[in-house]
Amino acid sequence: MGAGVSDLAAGMEAGRVVGAGLGDLPELCAAEVLLHLDAPDICRLARLNRAFRGAAAADFVWEAKLPENYGYLLGFVDGAKDGEGRGRRSMMGKKEVYARLAKAVPFDGGNKEFWLEKSKGGVCIALSSKSLVITGIDDRRYWAHMPTTESRFHSVAYLQQIWWFEVVGDLEFCFPPGTYSLYFRLHLGKASTRFGRRVCSSEQIHGWDRKPVRFQLSTSDGQHALSQCYLDEPGSWVLYHVGDFVASSTEQPMKLKFSLAQIDCTHTKGGLCVDSVVIYPKGFQQEKVISSQK
C-alpha cells in the first residue's frame, strides 16, 4: 500500500495524472480513500493537493485509526486528569490526538511509558529497569545503575556478579483488544563509546552458558506463558520473547506479572545489562528477537 501511494504521489507531482485527475476529487471522496490507508500514507497524500489536505484533517478519518480506548490513553497525558487538561483535550482534533499519542507518554513517575506505533496505531509499552523488582539491586557489590544513550530511559541496571538472579515486574493497564507480545530487553557485556566508536567489554560475562534463563508471564484473566533460553548474544541488545497474551476488553484493566530468573546457586553469573520490559502488538518488532523454548 505504501509503495502504491508513493507512486501515485510521484505521478501527480510530475503531472502525469490526466483528465480531471485526483486534484478535482471531492473532499469527502478523498477522505473515503484515506480511510483505507495507514497514518504515514495519509500524511503523504495530504501534501498532494487541497482535497487530500482537507480530507486528511477530518476527525472521522483519524478516529478510525485511533485505538477504541483513546480517551483512556489521553488520561495519562500531562494535565489531562485535571479540569484544565480535560478542557484542552476536548478541543483537540483527532489528528492532534493521534500525533500526541504517537509520542512517548510517561506514567508511574516516568518509569513506564506508552506510545502508538505510528503506522498501525497499535499500543506499545516500555517499563524501565527501575520499575522492576531486581534481587540485590541496592547492593553495589552486585548491581550498578549505568547511564547510557542506548536506553529510552537513559539508564540500565548492570549486573556485575550474583548467585541468585531474579527480575520481577507487573503492570495494570487497559489494552485495546488484540494480541500482544512481551519481551525483556537485555544486553550481554558493558557497552561504552571510545573515540566516537561503540565498544563492548565482555570481561564480566559468565555463567549464562551453564543454565538457561527462565521466563514467566501471567495475566489476571488466567493466561500463562513459560519459556526458557540461554543468553548467548554478547555485544547486542536483544528482545527475549517471554510470551503472548490476548486482550479482549477495554472495560477492565488487565494485570500482568512477568519475570526472568536463573537461580541455580551452584555458580555465579554476571556481565548483563537489564534495560526494560517492552510490550508490542504481536508481529511488531524493531530489534533482534530471540524466541525462548517452551
Side-chain angles (χ1 to χ4, degrees):
M1 179 64 77
V5 169
S6 298
D7 293 342
L8 173 61
M12 293 186 69
E13 289 171 355
R16 292 196 294 268
V17 178
V18 297
L22 290 179
D24 299 315
L25 195 67
E27 192 171 295
L28 184 59
C29 294
E32 290 293 336
V33 173
L34 299 184
L35 282 173
H36 297 279
L37 304 179
D38 294 333
D41 290 333
I42 293 174
C43 295
R44 239 176 249 122
L45 279 181
R47 297 196 293 265
L48 291 180
N49 57 50
R50 184 179 301 174
F52 279 107
R53 186 161 55 250
D59 274 354
F60 77 91
V61 169
W62 287 99
E63 188 158 20
K65 308 302 174 184
L66 285 164
E68 63 181 71
N69 68 337
Y70 70 86
Y72 163 81
L73 301 176
L74 273 177
F76 289 91
V77 176
D78 291 342
K81 293 185 178 180
D82 56 30
E84 181 182 353
R86 286 193 297 270
R88 288 198 303 270
R89 182 173 63 182
S90 65
M91 298 176 64
M92 294 173 68
K94 298 302 185 290
K95 181 179 180 180
E96 187 181 357
V97 170
Y98 194 100
R100 178 62 191 91
L101 294 179
K103 301 176 182 178
V105 179
F107 63 104
D108 191 21
N111 289 325
K112 303 172 184 176
E113 59 187 37
F114 73 85
W115 65 98
L116 297 187
E117 186 272 309
K118 291 182 180 179
S119 179
K120 301 293 185 181
V123 171
C124 305
I125 299 179
L127 299 82
S128 76
S129 60
K130 292 182 178 180
S131 72
L132 307 174
V133 178
I134 302 177
T135 300
I137 188 64
D138 295 324
D139 193 324
R140 293 185 180 179
R141 294 175 299 173
Y142 306 134
W143 290 91
H145 288 292
M146 189 173 70
T148 176
T149 59
E150 297 185 358
S151 167
R152 65 186 304 118
F153 297 101
H154 309 294
S155 174
V156 298
Y158 178 70
L159 173 63
Q160 298 165 115
Q161 179 171 284
I162 206 167
W163 293 87
W164 184 288
F165 172 71
E166 187 172 27
V167 181
V168 179
D170 61 72
L171 174 69
E172 184 173 351
F173 197 82
C174 287
F175 290 90
T179 303
Y180 297 84
S181 299
L182 187 144
Y183 306 88
F184 274 92
R185 187 174 188 259
L186 308 175
H187 184 287
L188 279 175
K190 183 188 292 185
S192 59
T193 302
R194 293 180 187 172
F195 306 109
R197 297 183 60 186
R198 184 182 190 271
V199 295
C200 182
S201 170
S202 59
E203 294 178 1
Q204 293 181 308
I205 301 175
H206 69 282
W208 305 109
D209 57 343
R210 301 279 298 275
K211 294 285 184 179
V213 168
R214 188 182 185 94
F215 298 93
Q216 295 188 73
L217 166 66
S218 63
T219 70
S220 53
D221 62 356
Q223 301 177 66
H224 298 276
L226 178 64
S227 57
Q228 61 182 16
C229 75
Y230 289 90
L231 307 186
D232 58 0
E233 296 283 335
S236 300
W237 285 106
V238 177
L239 298 179
Y240 288 88
H241 183 220
V242 179
D244 298 337
F245 64 93
V246 177
S248 56
S249 172
T250 60
E251 299 298 321
Q252 295 292 330
M254 176 176 282
K255 297 179 182 179
L256 306 178
K257 291 187 177 181
F258 39 86
S259 65
L260 75 156
Q262 211 277 46
I263 56 177
D264 183 343
C265 293
T266 62
H267 65 282
T268 62
K269 34 266 174 189
L272 176 70
C273 291
V274 178
D275 172 42
S276 58
V277 169
V278 292
I279 301 170
Y280 292 142
K282 186 175 176 63
F284 172 77
Q285 56 199 47
Q286 295 179 303
E287 295 180 279
K288 182 175 183 179
V289 170
I290 290 184
S291 297
S292 357
Q293 298 177 350
K294 297 182 179 180

